Amino acid sequence: MKISFRCNGKPMQLEISPETRALDVLRDTLGLTGVKEGCGKGECGACTVLVDGLPVSSCLLPAAKLEGTEVLTIEGLRKPDGSLHPLQQAFLDEGAVQCGFCTPGMIMSAKALLDETPRPQVEDIEEALSGNICRCTGYGKIVQAVMRAAEKSEEGRHDG
Amino acid sequence: MTGKELRIVGRRVRKVDGIELVTGQAKFTADMKLPGMLYGFARRAGQPAGKLEGVKKDEALKIPGVVDVLTAEDLPGPNLIGVLPPFDQPVLATGDIRYAGESVAFVVAETREAAKRGAAALDVRITEVPPILTVDEALGDGARKIHENGNITFSRKLIKGDADKALAEAPVVVENTYETSFQDHAYLEPETDLAVPGGDGRITVYASCQSPFHLRGLIAANLSVPAGRVKVVQSNTGGSFGGKDDVAVEIGILAAAAALRTGRPVLVAHERGESMVGSNLRHASRITITTGATKEGKIVARKIKIILDGGAYASESPFVVMKALIHAAGPYLIPHVFVESTAVYTNKTYAGAFRGFGVPQVTFASESQMDELAAKLGMNPLTLRKINALRPGDATATGQVFKQSVGLLQAIEILEKERLPEKPEDPSDRYLYGTGHSCMLQGISNGAEGVDVVGATVQVSQDGSALVGLGLTELGQGSRTVYAQIAAEELGIPLETVTVRQVDTDSVHDSGPTVASRSTTVGGMAVLKAAREVKESLLDMAALMLQTDKKEIYFQDGFAILSKNPDARIPLREVATAAYWTGHPLMHLAFSKAPEAKYDHDTHQGSIYIAYNFGAHRMSIRIDRWTGEVRVLEHLAAHDVGKVINPVGLEGQVEGGSLIGYGYAHMEKIEESRGIIRNANFADYAVPSIKDRIPTRTLVVEEANPTGPYGAKGVGEPPVAATAACFANAVSDALGVRFTRLPVTRQDILRALQSGAATHGGDKNG
Amino acid sequence: MVTAYRPATLQEALSMLKETDGIPLSGGTDLMVRLRAAPGTPARFSRPLVYVGSLPELLAVEHSEGGSWSIGAGVPLSDLLKLKGLPEALGAAIREIGSPAIRNTATLGGNICNASPAADSLPALLCLNASARIAGPGGERLQSLEDFITGPGKTALKSGELLVSILIPPAPPMKLFYRKIGTRRANALSKLSVLGMVKIENDTVKDLRLAVGAAAPKVVRIPEAEKSCIGRSVSQVAADHHTLLSMYREKVRPITDQRSTAGYRERTALRLIEEFLTKELSP
């Protein structure tokens, strides 16, 4: 079947088989390997991407459901000038990255949160990232990073 | 300014290889896709014990897309893997089936789906044999032998003084038996290898792995080719914690053998379930300890028996046996110690290396008993630990004496200075509160477990930047950042100009395995030495250029600077360029070799490790009497790390290790029935989520270690053991009942409360 | 090659379901796992897929002035959480389903039709006396959810039928008690859940509903037990909770599985019911 959608700002038209997962389309067809597969069952969050601004587990999403949507993956997060998104910078600065396998999904979930709740409480961050497992960091620095990114974005808004 | 003070080491720095990870550009093995690439999938035994009668390939080969099927006889080499003797594990089963996750055949196909379908279609005939599922069955009289040599994998004794006699005379004696369960590594990236036939008579294997040279050796042996024909490249590795060794070898061999047969690249990417069923776990254990002490609380003797359930194959069991043996008595000065440590085969998923490596098990047992002893003596548990804590100049259980870098007392004192968290008002009487302590030690580097050499190269380019190479792997723990800091510090160049290369076996020296908290200590030392040698060369050049003695020059911020007149400076890139054109060597290979372990193999008395990391933890918790739910209110983790190289990395190691310890102690349990793991997924195997995290605070003691760079000691493993042990003690404190089995789950807590076992807060009316 | 259909109307969908024996797929979060990865066997949908998630009937949400709700079976769970005035019990239960990423695609209809004894929405919906609006070849029918779920993984849906929406009758404002015990604190499957709703006026119980999830093949709700509380004072109910507990003890018949033991489930269920009856009723 044919699907068309926008991915990281670019229009896509693809022929897919109906049982294909969105994850496979993104990784195998479009080469967006920043989208990770950690469990294939929606239990780890490594494959999280934003569809129309909302985080979804792309391993559970039939690719057919991408039809007409706007998809954002970790690859689309960098600013056009190549500089890092505040969340990417904050994850680096705060030491929220160890092995980095959970990081893309983690950052996408955090982005969806900050888009909706620019100044989150710790509880908001916990809820937003509750589907993203990290085995390396113990999560403390991830919470700090999201807090820091929120502060930075806020400053950015005021400065601008 | 003389360039003497540390400018980069000790500073909070960002992970040097982090940008690719936060942008999604980093390539992990499964992210690579090559023309003609095939996908491999193993058919597993599905039953814990039996005789493999045969595998018929026909039906699988009929499946569209299936290209090839390999069984044991298709492997060119000995079909044998293992980390150390006894090498006892086949790549593909022949004859005996010893655990349910055992691979019996390997299917390669054009797609992952077809490979799976092919594996399912294979006709595999196995005659069932009653499985041996407990260590007691395995050790029982007349038990079926799982391996030719019987069911004992490895056994060792530690004998210091006369523990039996001392216990008989001790005024106070406590004894108890403790048990721990298996634990899965649960790294986010499942194991993945990709083998690419070279066209030049060689084969390249990209692997998510911990020890590339180990892979190279075993892949070559099983392909029956010289090691030099195989090149292993460590891809970005999504966590390992000890787990990506045996299994990376297993799938590396399968992929390589299939790649050679088909002439095409072959990718093996485990699914989550395979990662849990078909790769090693942390050993389950049963540990009996008897401790004798004076009425004043001086421990006089400990007698300890450790039995480790090692599952179907030896893997790292021999070393885990030794590590448990050496650490079981705890970080205390004890004149008489007897320990017997044994690993046993059972028909379950094999156990091997997992962050902590035998130490979490024995620390839980030993530290539980310290609390029991304190209760019997009517002493404060921390005071008891303080009285017995190893001090500089004391002999460890192996009789080894460290004159320095023994910071346990300081770690305990830091805890004592921290006030306990306040209990909130709770008129409903719903909650129980408890605090637990633990002290521990963890040997740094391989020590008695084997060779301990790292070779590192530092290469300075004409632009003054540096490239560092060594055979130890970055697995997320931040070792590349530590190496870059050390090279930058020594060469006086900005951190951003140092690159630490990917490990590939063609271009770095075999540095032994990336294990045992040795990267910073032994690896860091090798980088430091290599950097100093290059620096000498550059100093010679700079001395010529500045027309002075090289003693008068120091390097800082990318300049060669005259000590007497810091305005007189030359950019290092000019020095490096000049050095290049005048033939001053710009690259050096240096080795750091830890002092050899010297000990008696019958008693394990002698020098075993180059240093120990000492730790003292405290955890305060709140328990909901109605549901058994636990909330951690505070967790303090004090460790003597010698010298902090990167505080951010250190905190990351302590916080992350602590949560693995907490999961181990409270949430994670491999559920197995009749030899089959029933919860091989993240829904049923409860890896802690962000809402389950604990508020770990890292506290640092820096008692310089003469064998590490700038005095540093490793810290990767220790927090796991200390956290698990203090959690168990906190729960016991809250409930007034001793839990002797890990994990102590919410269910266990509720059961204790309702059965009346708990002396605090139990049901008054049943 | 798997066939898939994307019907534009409900009628079209129904005829496709009937003709092809197709599997209706909406959010797909359960089906994508369940149909692909049966242990050791290959991933393949054996029957055609019928995408029903974009049908207007399945996406419609209506809230009447009288307080009743009609919720399309295909509305993503996270959208439901944004609805003003959604029954509190349903909101609380939905928040416990999966992760935010899963709730953005998973649907209420999917959670129901999956009919897992551990489905988080069912105790809430049963306490709200919800019913299922089902469309089929022969027209539409209504069925209480209590009867719609027939056992673990089983519903009263007949071949060619489709769950279109869930109807929730008006309910008075009630105090909510909800406890879910999972394997971890987030993105967890339920080991057990207890949901209670109570309305108290002048210290008298006017309405009381109580459901226990993951404790028996179906969600446990005992009308006689609930009725026996109504009209009595809060302290009377608390004093007599042992009688009530024994009624629940009869019906709570959990199993031991990889997630929990029967003993723990039973103990905890009764404990939480006790907590509800003795501690939560008082204001």
Side-chain angles (χ1 to χ4, degrees):
Chain A
M1 67 203 305
K2 243 196 183 65
I3 54 168
S4 52
F5 60 101
R6 292 178 69 83
C7 186
N8 296 333
K10 294 188 201 93
M12 301 286 167
Q13 271 215 344
L14 304 170
E15 182 67 39
I16 57 152
S17 128
E19 81 273 30
T20 312
R21 308 175 296 175
L23 174 70
D24 300 322
V25 166
L26 295 172
R27 281 178 59 85
D28 297 347
T29 314
L30 302 181
L32 299 170
T33 54
V35 188
K36 301 296 180 204
E37 178 165 13
C39 72
K41 291 173 151 193
E43 293 160 0
C44 79
C47 67
T48 307
V49 300
L50 304 192
V51 176
D52 291 334
L54 297 175
V56 301
S57 297
S58 62
C59 74
L60 296 182
L61 188 72
K65 295 198 68 161
L66 293 178
E67 173 66 32
T69 63
E70 176 83 45
V71 177
L72 185 69
T73 73
I74 189 76
E75 286 89 347
L77 212 56
R78 254 177 142 149
K79 295 179 195 156
D81 67 358
S83 63
L84 297 179
H85 184 278
L87 273 163
Q88 293 172 316
Q89 190 63 50
F91 268 61
L92 266 184
D93 292 346
E94 297 295 320
V97 182
Q98 287 191 25
C99 84
F101 199 80
C102 75
T103 307
M106 201 67 87
I107 288 180
M108 296 318 286
S109 289
K111 178 175 192 311
L113 168 72
L114 295 189
D115 287 348
E116 203 182 311
T117 314
R119 289 306 304 269
Q121 303 294 308
V122 169
E123 295 72 34
D124 300 324
I125 297 172
E126 286 179 345
E127 180 55 34
L129 303 185
S130 61
N132 295 81
I133 288 178
C134 167
R135 188 57 152 173
C136 296
T137 64
Y139 300 104
K141 292 189 181 301
I142 290 174
V143 174
Q144 281 170 28
V146 179
M147 279 292 189
R148 167 72 84 92
E151 285 160 19
K152 287 274 170 189
S153 311
E154 191 89 329
E155 284 164 22
R157 262 193 295 280
H158 291 157
D159 295 347
Chain B
M1 299 286 272
T2 59
K4 288 267 158 60
E5 68 277 21
L6 297 176
R7 297 172 62 84
I8 297 172
V9 163
R11 221 175 70 194
R12 298 185 77 85
V13 302
R14 285 191 284 269
K15 201 168 156 55
V16 294
D17 47 357
I19 288 186
E20 287 207 316
L21 295 170
V22 298
T23 54
Q25 296 306 306
K27 291 288 176 224
F28 293 74
T29 309
D31 298 338
M32 286 184 277
K33 204 174 174 187
L34 299 175
M37 188 169 91
L38 299 172
Y39 298 80
F41 193 83
R43 168 70 178 263
R44 295 178 188 275
Q47 45 186 294
K51 290 271 174 214
L52 180 62
E53 306 294 350
V55 178
K56 275 201 196 143
K57 300 179 180 179
D58 320 12
E59 291 305 314
L61 289 166
K62 281 184 207 155
I63 303 274
V66 170
V67 173
D68 198 1
V69 178
L70 280 76
T71 53
E73 47 283 7
D74 300 318
L75 296 173
N79 186 22
L80 200 62
I81 56 175
V83 181
L84 55 147
F87 297 103
D88 60 4
Q89 186 167 357
V91 184
L92 289 173
T94 51
D96 289 332
I97 296 295
R98 299 191 179 91
Y99 79 106
E102 185 131 33
S103 299
V104 297
F106 182 67
V107 179
V108 285
E110 303 286 350
T111 63
R112 201 154 52 150
E113 243 65 79
K116 276 184 87 169
R117 266 197 294 284
L122 284 167
D123 178 8
V124 175
R125 275 155 302 132
I126 297 171
T127 308
E128 276 189 61
V129 168
I132 294 175
L133 298 174
T134 66
V135 291
D136 292 325
E137 284 172 65
L139 295 174
D141 288 338
R144 177 175 60 81
K145 287 182 181 178
I146 294 172
H147 288 270
E148 237 173 52
N149 295 332
N151 294 339
I152 291 182
T153 317
F154 196 78
S155 185
R156 283 292 180 271
K157 289 190 178 81
L158 180 151
I159 305 167
K160 179 190 186 189
D162 189 342
D164 278 326
K165 182 162 173 279
L167 282 172
E169 293 165 2
V172 182
V173 175
V174 286
E175 180 180 330
N176 213 338
T177 297
Y178 311 87
E179 290 180 307
T180 64
S181 304
F182 293 102
Q183 184 182 23
D184 184 65
H185 300 86
Y187 24 69
L188 260 276
E189 181 208 22
E191 306 85 5
T192 311
D193 285 2
L194 166 64
V196 186
D200 57 352
R202 301 184 74 203
I203 186 156
T204 302
V205 178
Y206 297 89
S208 170
C209 73
Q210 195 162 327
S211 302
F213 284 92
H214 184 217
L215 251 75
R216 184 180 75 161
L218 284 167
I219 291 171
N222 280 285
L223 296 179
S224 282
V225 300
R229 297 268 170 82
V230 178
K231 170 177 165 182
V232 175
V233 181
Q234 185 221 0
S235 314
N236 275 286
T237 299
S240 182
F241 316 117
K244 287 178 179 165
D245 207 343
D246 313 64
V247 64
V249 168
E250 179 187 326
I251 61 177
I253 293 168
L254 291 173
L260 284 185
R261 275 164 69 94
T262 57
R264 295 168 66 175
V266 175
L267 177 80
V268 188
H270 271 176
E271 299 187 340
R272 179 56 56 188
E274 295 181 280
S275 173
M276 296 182 73
V277 168
S279 96
N280 73 282
L281 303 168
R282 188 191 298 289
H283 289 77
S285 72
R286 185 165 69 213
I287 301 164
T288 301
I289 308 187
T290 313
T291 304
T294 65
K295 291 206 166 74
E296 295 72 39
K298 256 326 244 179
I299 298 174
V300 293
R302 290 194 114 169
K303 191 173 178 185
I304 302 167
K305 186 177 182 186
I306 303 161
I307 295 182
L308 300 168
D309 186 343
Y313 293 104
S315 180
E316 303 251 11
S317 278
F319 285 167
V320 176
V321 160
M322 282 175 62
K323 201 138 205 165
L325 178 89
I326 290 160
H327 291 75
Y332 306 113
L333 174 64
I334 307 175
H336 304 281
V337 181
F338 177 90
V339 191
E340 186 183 27
S341 179
T342 306
V344 177
Y345 289 121
T346 57
N347 288 124
K348 292 189 279 197
T349 294
Y350 61 98
F354 189 169
R355 195 172 186 174
F357 210 78
V359 178
Q361 293 92 325
V362 296
T363 302
F364 158 65
S366 161
E367 288 301 296
S368 294
Q369 186 146 96
M370 288 300 284
D371 270 19
E372 289 169 275
L373 178 61
K376 193 156 184 180
L377 291 164
M379 277 179 88
N380 176 306
L382 202 55
T383 310
L384 175 68
R385 287 171 170 87
K386 217 170 149 180
I387 290 174
N388 293 287
L390 281 169
R391 291 156 168 80
D394 285 348
T396 65
T398 71
Q400 188 172 4
V401 174
F402 291 93
K403 296 215 171 72
Q404 49 181 313
S405 203
V406 183
L408 178 58
L409 216 54
Q410 291 90 320
I412 294 174
E413 280 162 3
I414 286 187
L415 297 188
E416 285 178 329
K417 283 190 200 117
E418 296 279 341
R419 285 176 51 186
L420 281 169
E422 306 235 336
K423 283 182 202 173
E425 286 286 309
D426 174 25
S428 70
D429 192 29
R430 173 156 187 159
Y431 299 109
L432 297 166
Y433 294 84
T435 294
H437 293 91
S438 64
C439 289
M440 56 92 59
L441 77 175
Q442 179 113 29
I444 296 304
S445 199
N446 295 341
E449 297 157 28
V451 289
D452 214 339
V453 182
V454 173
T457 56
V458 172
Q459 180 185 358
V460 171
S461 305
Q462 288 187 57
D463 66 356
S465 69
L467 178 66
V468 176
L470 70 167
L472 299 182
T473 47
E474 168 69 49
L475 306 161
Q477 80 279 47
S479 56
R480 268 194 195 135
T481 307
V482 164
Y483 302 143
Q485 282 180 280
I486 292 172
E489 183 72 57
E490 288 302 317
L491 293 168
I493 57 177
L495 184 62
E496 307 75 63
T497 65
V498 182
T499 304
V500 182
R501 61 180 306 157
Q502 189 175 38
V503 177
D504 86 57
T505 54
D506 275 13
S507 46
V508 297
H509 190 268
D510 185 348
S511 302
T514 304
V515 298
S517 306
R518 70 191 283 263
S519 292
T520 293
T521 318
V522 189
M525 206 65 168
V527 172
L528 182 129
K529 280 180 154 180
R532 282 190 180 162
E533 287 176 19
V534 179
K535 186 181 176 183
E536 281 306 309
S537 193
L538 288 167
L539 277 171
D540 288 338
M541 187 67 240
L544 286 173
M545 295 169 84
L546 285 163
Q547 296 183 327
T548 182
D549 189 279
K550 68 178 179 182
K551 289 198 187 75
E552 301 297 318
I553 301 169
Y554 67 92
F555 294 169
Q556 189 175 294
D557 300 333
F559 288 91
I561 303 170
L562 203 56
S563 304
K564 277 180 273 184
N565 174 16
D567 288 337
R569 51 176 65 198
I570 315 173
L572 268 176
R573 69 182 130 76
E574 288 177 19
V575 178
T577 303
Y580 171 77
W581 288 106
T582 54
H584 287 78
L586 285 173
M587 177 169 170
H588 279 273
L589 166 64
F591 290 90
S592 128
K593 185 173 184 304
E596 219 168 294
K598 287 191 185 116
Y599 64 98
D600 182 285
H601 289 253
D602 296 323
T603 62
H604 286 81
Q605 293 300 295
S607 308
I608 308 272
Y609 293 110
I610 54 172
Y612 282 97
N613 177 304
F614 293 92
H617 283 212
R618 184 176 89 197
M619 186 183 282
S620 296
I621 61 167
R622 189 192 79 180
I623 291 176
D624 184 335
R625 297 207 296 125
W626 287 79
T627 61
E629 188 189 11
V630 176
R631 199 159 275 279
V632 178
L633 306 173
E634 181 188 65
H635 176 223
L636 303 178
H639 285 275
D640 172 18
V641 300
K643 164 76 190 167
V644 183
I645 306 279
N646 177 12
V648 181
L650 172 82
E651 292 156 12
Q653 286 301 290
V654 174
E655 292 170 16
S658 293
L659 194 61
I660 288 183
Y662 177 75
Y664 179 52
H666 183 47
M667 299 171 65
E668 298 174 37
K669 195 174 187 182
I670 294 285
E671 299 286 352
E672 165 254 335
S673 71
R674 296 187 300 279
I676 312 276
I677 294 176
R678 306 289 172 184
N679 59 344
N681 59 70
F682 279 169
D684 297 320
Y685 183 80
V687 176
S689 75
I690 196 168
K691 291 186 182 177
D692 300 291
R693 78 185 189 283
I694 58 174
T696 299
R697 190 140 61 86
T698 305
L699 303 166
V700 167
V701 174
E702 291 183 306
E703 289 291 311
N705 160 33
T707 60
Y710 315 101
K713 301 190 273 193
V715 71
E717 298 173 282
V720 178
T723 305
C726 74
F727 172 80
N729 283 340
V731 177
S732 297
D733 181 51
L735 265 56
V737 59
R738 176 58 43 190
F739 288 88
T740 57
R741 189 182 166 80
L742 287 188
V744 183
T745 64
R746 196 164 154 168
Q747 311 195 18
D748 300 324
I749 291 169
L750 196 70
R751 198 178 300 125
L753 282 165
Q754 296 194 338
S755 69
T759 57
H760 308 162
D763 277 8
K764 277 140 205 148
N765 43 12
Chain C
M1 190 70 178
V2 179
T3 348
Y5 301 97
R6 282 203 266 200
T9 66
L10 181 58
Q11 273 322 309
E12 219 177 299
L14 291 173
S15 54
M16 284 170 182
L17 285 172
K18 187 174 176 217
E19 282 160 26
T20 67
D21 189 30
I23 304 170
L25 186 145
S26 179
T29 54
D30 278 316
L31 286 182
M32 289 299 279
V33 174
R34 212 144 52 98
L35 298 185
R36 288 178 70 90
T41 55
R44 245 322 118 103
F45 292 104
S46 53
R47 289 147 60 192
L49 293 177
V50 181
Y51 284 95
V52 297
S54 345
L55 298 173
E57 288 84 350
L58 272 78
L59 290 175
V61 176
E62 287 164 38
H63 182 27
S64 80
E65 279 180 26
S68 69
W69 283 86
S70 165
I71 297 172
V75 182
L77 295 172
S78 55
D79 285 1
L80 295 179
L81 291 177
K82 292 175 195 147
L83 296 173
K84 283 215 172 63
L86 186 78
E88 194 191 352
L90 185 56
I94 288 174
R95 253 174 238 115
E96 289 292 332
I97 298 177
S99 63
I102 289 175
R103 294 196 291 273
N104 283 329
T105 37
T107 64
L108 192 57
N111 198 244
I112 294 169
C113 290
N114 215 10
S116 161
D120 288 305
S121 70
L122 289 177
L125 289 170
L126 259 59
C127 276
L128 292 165
N129 297 325
S131 49
R133 190 176 134 221
I134 301 153
E140 281 198 3
R141 64 188 180 96
L142 268 183
Q143 188 171 32
S144 77
L145 267 191
E146 180 91 57
D147 299 334
F148 180 76
I149 308 288
T150 54
K154 292 199 185 94
T155 69
L157 271 186
K158 294 179 203 125
S159 166
E161 281 190 332
L162 183 66
L163 176 67
V164 176
S165 59
I166 295 92
L167 304 181
I168 302 174
M174 294 170 90
K175 187 178 169 188
L176 174 70
F177 172 87
Y178 181 51
R179 299 277 187 279
K180 167 175 165 171
I181 313 281
T183 44
R184 60 172 86 83
R185 286 205 174 92
N187 199 7
L189 296 176
S190 200
K191 291 179 182 182
L192 177 80
S193 69
V194 172
L195 189 143
M197 293 163 60
V198 64
K199 185 182 180 207
I200 294 162
E201 275 175 19
N202 301 326
D203 206 37
T204 305
V205 176
K206 293 286 180 190
D207 194 349
L208 183 143
R209 306 169 192 184
L210 178 60
V212 189
K218 287 175 61 175
V219 170
V220 173
R221 209 183 147 190
I222 309 176
E224 316 85 76
E226 295 174 8
K227 268 186 211 128
S228 76
C229 298
I230 293 170
R232 297 164 77 188
S233 76
V234 167
S235 50
Q236 279 171 333
V237 171
D240 193 29
H241 74 269
H242 285 293
T243 317
L244 291 161
L245 279 182
S246 61
M247 297 171 82
Y248 283 94
R249 191 172 288 120
E250 284 294 299
K251 294 277 167 129
V252 169
R253 286 271 173 265
I255 55 162
T256 292
D257 62 13
Q258 72 280 12
R259 238 166 269 148
S260 190
T261 62
Y264 175 76
R265 284 185 162 119
E266 185 181 332
R267 272 195 299 278
T268 309
L270 294 171
R271 199 71 208 246
L272 291 172
I273 295 168
E274 182 186 346
E275 183 185 354
F276 173 60
L277 295 174
T278 58
K279 306 224 165 189
E280 289 291 317
L281 295 193
S282 21

